């Protein structure tokens, strides 16, 4: 079953590189023998034998497979309301059914219901529960579409935000009673184990420069560090993901981590230099997909910049 919660990249993390240039923009003397790459920064010395860190995992909803109730169906309950807020926790994202009570959006909350609608008739026809593949696939499509409309911003901005959509569906009894709604929520991870408190307003958030920056993907340490993990940029950080780069065609075979790393390095150096708007030395890093996520269709990696913010 596919899920709306975007799959974790399951990334192989590479050494952080320091690029240096002369006034003419060429690499300075003493750089690495690999064109475009110079030695790692002193403060980020990397032990090649260090274990590969793993980025923040993104949970995958697991549908209920319980058999439909044999009780006489009652009238379908009212669907959830769009615009409501809830305090969700990471474990709440692991199922397609959620009954968390709404809270006032003026209070602390970690999710916002940005859309509630009816599932396409073709997707639910013949389905015995809301966990049917056709139902969850339709819910994913609906919420992906509505998420883009709700948060705004460019496609590139949505690829670099900590905001993520997740769908929820009626439970077995509700589905038996005729409920056919899909609830779309937005959330973000503050750390790999805790959801972020969301601002009071998220509609068109990625069209707002400040919110777009605060809701970006950041880290306290460099991508090669064992403690590396994605956090929302509103928290203290030293590194920011500034671009996602395509590293292969959809039908391409896995080329190996080393080749992906070379490709990412070549792409990311110029991207990070432009982001920092500098001709001086700077530090950058990158992430590339592992074999497992490549097999699942992931073809993008991250370029990371060490930033003062």
């Amino acid at each position: 079953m596919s899920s709306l919660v975007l799959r974790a990249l399951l990334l192989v993390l590479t050494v952080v590189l320091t690029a240096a240039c002369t006034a003419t923009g060429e690499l300075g003397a003493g750089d690495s023998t690999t064109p475009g790459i110079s030695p790692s920064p002193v403060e980020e010395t990397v032990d090649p034998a260090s274990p590969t860190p793993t980025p923040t995992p993104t949970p995958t909803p697991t549908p209920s497979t319980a058999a439909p109730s044999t009780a006489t169906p009652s009238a379908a309950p009212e669907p959830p309301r769009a615009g409501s807020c809830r305090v969700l926790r990471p474990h709440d994202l692991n199922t397609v059914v959620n009954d968390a009570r709404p809270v006032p959006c003026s209070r602390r909350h970690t999710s916002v219901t940005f859309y509630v609608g009816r599932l396409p008739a073709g997707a639910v026809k013949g389905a015995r529960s809301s966990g049917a593949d056709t139902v969850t696939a339709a819910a994913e499509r609906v919420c992906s579409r509505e998420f883009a409309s709700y948060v705004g911003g460019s496609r590139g901005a949505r690829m670099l935000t900590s905001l993520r959509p997740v769908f929820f569906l009626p439970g077995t009894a509700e589905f038996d009673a005729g409920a056919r709604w899909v609830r779309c929520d937005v959330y973000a991870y503050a750390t790999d184990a805790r959801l972020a408190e969301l601002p009071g307003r998220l509609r068109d958030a990625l069209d707002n420069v400040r919110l777009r920056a605060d809701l970006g993907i950041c880290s306290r340490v460099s991508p090669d560090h064992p403690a590396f993990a994605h956090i929302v940029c509103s928290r203290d950080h030293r590194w920011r993901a500034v671009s996602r780069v395509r590293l292969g065609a959809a039908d391409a075979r896995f080329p190996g981590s080393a080749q992906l790393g070379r490709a990412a390095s070549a792409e990311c150096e110029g991207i990070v230099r432009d982001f920092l708007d500098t001709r001086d030395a700077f530090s950058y890093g990158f992430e590339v997909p592992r074999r497992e996520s490549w097999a699942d269709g992931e073809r993008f990696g991250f370029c990371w910049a060490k930033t003062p913010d």
Side-chain angles (χ1 to χ4, degrees), residues 56-101:
T56 302
T58 307
T60 302
T62 303
S64 170
T65 56
S69 171
T70 58
T72 302
S74 57
E78 290 293 319
R81 292 186 178 183
S84 57
C85 298
R86 291 173 175 82
V87 178
L88 298 186
R89 294 172 175 79
H91 66 81
D92 291 315
L93 307 177
N94 294 328
T95 175
V96 298
V97 178
N98 175 262
D99 58 1
R101 293 180 178 275

Side-chain angles (χ1 to χ4, degrees), residues 150 200 216:
Y150 179 72

Side-chain angles (χ1 to χ4, degrees), residues 81-174:
R81 292 186 178 183
S84 57
C85 298
R86 291 173 175 82
V87 178
L88 298 186
R89 294 172 175 79
H91 66 81
D92 291 315
L93 307 177
N94 294 328
T95 175
V96 298
V97 178
N98 175 262
D99 58 1
R101 293 180 178 275
V103 300
C105 292
S106 57
R107 296 183 184 176
R108 177 184 176 276
H109 59 277
T110 58
S111 82
V112 176
T113 299
F114 61 88
Y115 177 81
V116 176
R118 189 172 179 83
L119 291 162
V124 298
K125 184 178 181 180
R128 294 172 61 84
S129 76
S130 59
D133 288 348
T134 56
V135 178
T136 56
E140 179 174 358
R141 290 192 298 270
V142 169
C143 291
S144 292
R145 180 189 68 232
E146 296 300 329
F147 174 76
S149 175
Y150 179 72
V151 299
S154 65
R155 182 172 181 270
R158 291 192 295 274
M159 293 177 75
L160 290 171
T161 182
S162 289
L163 294 175
R164 293 287 182 266
V166 61
F167 63 83
F168 296 108
L169 295 165
T172 299
E174 291 175 296

Side-chain angles (χ1 to χ4, degrees), residues 189-191 194 196 214 218 220 231-237:
Y189 270 98
T191 68
R194 186 166 66 84
D214 285 348
C218 288
R220 292 189 177 92
I231 62 173
V232 67
C233 292
S234 58
R235 298 176 66 86
D236 291 339
H237 62 274

Side-chain angles (χ1 to χ4, degrees), residues 34-60:
T34 303
I37 302 176
S38 61
S40 299
V42 174
E43 70 275 17
E44 299 292 346
T45 301
V46 180
D47 178 359
S50 297
T52 300
T54 303
T56 302
T58 307
T60 302

Side-chain angles (χ1 to χ4, degrees), residues 261-285:
R262 289 191 292 270
S265 177
E267 290 272 358
C268 290
E269 182 183 356
I271 289 172
V272 174
R273 184 187 298 281
D274 290 344
F275 174 81
L276 296 175
D277 191 22
T278 183
R279 296 178 66 83
D280 298 327
F282 62 97
S283 296
Y284 70 99

